[in-house]
């Protein structure tokens, strides 16, 4: 009788393990990329918030690096936000990532796959008062690397 009891528990236990593994696999394949996209955008704006523009620039997609050579980006980013707006830093909030089937950074650009759109709100307190900048930031995974992009479509 003990043997039959063990057999019943195995019959119940094995499907539960398989179901658990299937749910875990789904989380890894579906939820993890959303989380990775969100973490990359958070890392990017954390660097920006600290004025570590060299490190945030490194997270850009090659398209963005072409658009903003490193030296230019470092100088201009600090100049515009810190000097013109009269702010020392900012706070930011991130929205929920949304997966896009295909997206392109410019009207003529190539279509990218594995793209996530993350809404970002940067809040500033500066010489000209308090203001917020709302921007959709895009994250793409190419060749197992994750990159930040901005939208330049018309």
């Amino acid at each position: 009788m003990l043997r039959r009891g063990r057999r019943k528990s195995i019959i119940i236990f094995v499907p539960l393990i398989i179901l658990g593994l299937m749910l875990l696999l789904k989380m890894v394949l579906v939820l993890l990329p959303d989380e990775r996209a969100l973490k990359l955008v958070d890392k990017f704006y954390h660097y920006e918030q600290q004025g570590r523009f060299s490190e945030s620039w490194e997270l850009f997609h090659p398209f963005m690096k072409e658009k903003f050579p490193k030296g230019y980006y470092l100088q201009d980013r600090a100049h515009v936000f810190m000097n013109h707006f009269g702010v020392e830093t900012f706070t930011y909030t991130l929205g929920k990532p949304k997966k896009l089937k295909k997206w392109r950074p410019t009207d003529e650009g190539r279509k990218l796959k594995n793209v996530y759109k993350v809404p970002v709100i940067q809040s500033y307190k500066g010489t000209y008062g308090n203001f917020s900048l709302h921007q959709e930031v895009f994250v793409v995974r190419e060749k197992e690397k994750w990159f930040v992009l901005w939208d330049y479509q018309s």
Side-chain angles (χ1 to χ4, degrees):
M1 197 156 203
L2 286 174
R3 288 190 160 194
R4 288 185 190 189
R6 286 183 187 163
R7 196 175 283 167
K8 282 183 182 179
S9 63
I10 289 174
I11 290 173
I12 293 171
F13 191 65
V14 170
L16 286 176
I17 289 175
I18 292 171
L19 181 63
L21 289 173
M22 288 172 49
L23 287 173
L24 182 63
L25 180 62
K26 183 179 179 182
M27 280 178 36
V28 168
L29 295 177
V30 175
L31 300 179
L32 189 58
D34 289 4
E35 203 51 43
R36 295 227 19 213
L38 190 64
K39 284 183 180 185
L40 184 67
V41 174
D42 184 44
K43 187 176 189 178
F44 179 87
Y45 282 99
H46 180 73
Y47 289 151
E48 294 272 304
Q49 187 182 51
Q50 294 180 336
R52 294 165 58 189
F53 302 116
S54 178
E55 291 164 271
S56 58
W57 185 86
E58 292 295 334
L59 301 177
F60 274 148
H61 185 273
F63 165 79
M64 295 295 294
K65 289 179 178 179
E66 241 178 72
K67 190 165 187 64
F68 298 107
K70 191 172 188 175
Y72 174 80
Y73 183 79
L74 301 179
Q75 189 175 21
D76 195 56
R77 194 75 170 166
H79 179 71
V80 169
F81 285 95
M82 305 307 177
N83 296 341
H84 278 276
F85 293 151
V87 299
E88 291 181 21
T89 190
F90 60 91
T91 59
Y92 63 93
T93 55
L94 306 178
K96 184 179 178 183
K98 178 182 178 185
K99 184 170 184 174
L100 306 176
K101 288 186 181 182
K102 292 182 182 176
W103 176 82
R104 59 178 79 198
T106 64
D107 293 331
E108 308 83 34
R110 71 178 173 91
K111 287 183 182 175
L112 302 173
K113 297 177 183 179
N114 300 314
V115 178
Y116 293 85
K117 177 172 67 173
V118 180
V120 177
I121 301 172
Q122 294 171 263
S123 300
Y124 296 89
K125 294 181 180 184
T127 304
Y128 302 104
N130 301 334
F131 60 96
S132 296
L133 196 122
H134 298 243
Q135 184 176 23
E136 290 180 333
V137 176
F138 296 84
V139 175
V140 63
R141 186 182 81 199
E142 290 184 335
K143 299 177 185 172
E144 302 308 314
K145 288 191 77 175
W146 292 79
F147 301 102
V148 172
L149 288 137
W150 292 331
D151 184 7
Y152 290 95
Q153 295 180 26
S154 2

